[in-house]
Amino acid sequence: MIGELMLPSSPPLVLILLGPPGAGKGTQAKLLQEKLILPHISTGDLLREHIRRKTPLGAQAQGFMDKGNLVPDSLIFDMLFERTSHEDCSRGYILDGFPRTIPQAKALQDRLKDKPAPIVLNLELTDEQIIERLTKRVICEKCGTPYHLIYSPPKVSGHCDRCKGVLIHRPDDTEPVIRKRLTVYHEQTEPLIHFYQRLHLLHTFDCTLDKKEVFDHILSIIKG
Ligand code: AMP
């Protein structure tokens, strides 16, 4: 499949990027998007776009996001499943930041029940490494590409290598909010590791490695 990558006749491929905030889900999703020509769907990016456009959904979501809490499932489901119904998702898609709770994972399994099982890519990093990464992270305002100011800075300071968009600090990338997001991750999202392990769909990656090494490892799993 990889090389020719996805042939028009390939069955739809759904990839789920699981892991704490800052483990590299967005980075790996962008690399996979380019390699597999599949849409990258980040629920965080979709929500930030609603906030930017000042939609009613954005207004409801913002308070939860600013505090580092999860946005209620009722707001997430319609937004996500509307997006996955678009024509560009017919060959599959890459989910980044969804599912984040057991009810979300169950709702997704239900949606996918007549389709090939998803591949779940679990990215691992310790809490202290995450805090170090996220406090120095900037993202592109336009396309969401993340950069680390020390380890993977943009070529031109302040601008995205991919689309030349302006790089910003996310308002929820401050240490107190990051710590809250980590608590929420351990309580509500980490149980998904066991959920997908039981379904034999989980593959775990050590994200202390260089992003290219992690990416090569992910590709070898997808090829397999
Ligand atoms: P992210 O960009 O994935 O780090 O998400 C940023 C914030 O958006 C999270 O801290 C949550 O407040 C919210 N969010 C993103 N995805 C979800 C989801 N699947 N369920 C609930 N809240 C979400």
Side-chain angles (χ1 to χ4, degrees), residues 13-129:
L13 175 64
V14 173
L15 299 175
I16 297 174
L17 285 154
L18 198 65
K25 299 187 297 293
T27 301
Q28 294 301 330
K30 296 265 176 237
L31 295 170
L32 286 163
Q33 173 181 37
E34 279 165 15
K35 185 82 178 172
L36 303 173
I37 324 290
L38 288 177
H40 163 205
I41 303 178
S42 151
T43 41
D45 285 350
L46 292 176
L47 290 166
R48 281 183 287 277
E49 179 61 16
H50 275 277
I51 293 173
R52 202 185 58 75
R53 289 183 6 235
K54 300 192 179 353
T55 68
L57 169 55
Q60 289 183 74
Q62 182 156 26
F64 295 99
M65 293 170 76
D66 286 350
K67 293 195 187 76
N69 288 316
L70 292 186
V71 173
D73 288 349
S74 54
L75 300 180
I76 297 286
F77 286 152
D78 285 351
M79 176 187 80
L80 192 262
F81 293 130
E82 190 279 326
R83 176 66 188 88
T84 58
S85 69
H86 290 195
E87 172 56 28
D88 67 337
C89 292
S90 59
R91 293 168 54 253
Y93 44 89
I94 303 158
L95 288 176
D96 160 9
F98 183 95
R100 257 179 158 97
T101 61
I102 293 284
Q104 290 184 10
K106 288 185 172 162
L108 181 64
Q109 284 300 104
D110 201 42
R111 288 274 161 158
L112 297 176
K113 66 174 179 282
D114 304 322
K115 309 240 163 53
I119 299 177
V120 184
L121 309 165
N122 177 36
L123 308 188
E124 277 190 340
L125 204 63
T126 66
D127 287 8
E128 288 317 307
Q129 286 165 322

